[in-house]
Amino acid sequence: MTENEELTREIGLLADRAESDPETGVDIKALAVGLWASFNEFSIEEIEDALRDAWRTRGLAFNDNAGN
C-alpha cells in the first residue's frame, strides 16, 4: 500500500467515526497536524485539503481554520 493510499484510508476511518456523531464538528487543522505526525511526507496543507474533501463529500460539519 502506498503512503497516499494509507493516508486516504486513515482519513476515511476518521470520517467514518465523525459520521457516527455528525452534529459534532471537527477541527480540520488539528486533525491534519495529528495525521502529519505519521504522514510527514505530505504537507499539512495537503492533508487539510484531503480532509476537507472527505468531510464535504460526506456532508460532515467541520471547523476550517485555513489562513488563521
Side-chain angles (χ1 to χ4, degrees):
M1 185 177 288
T2 68
E3 291 295 315
N4 193 27
E5 290 169 334
E6 288 182 35
L7 177 60
T8 300
R9 181 182 167 279
E10 188 63 31
I11 289 171
L13 292 172
L14 289 169
D16 288 345
R17 284 186 225 135
E19 281 185 322
S20 69
D21 188 11
E23 298 301 316
T24 302
V26 298
D27 184 336
I28 292 292
K29 174 86 58 193
L31 282 180
V33 170
L35 287 171
W36 182 77
S38 297
F39 298 97
N40 61 9
E41 60 277 355
F42 299 98
S43 71
I44 291 175
E45 292 78 16
E46 289 171 322
I47 296 171
E48 287 176 356
D49 288 344
L51 285 163
R52 279 187 208 97
D53 288 346
W55 259 247
R56 284 184 182 121
T57 298
R58 296 178 185 224
L60 298 169
F62 64 91
N63 178 10
D64 192 357
N65 290 316
N68 292 341

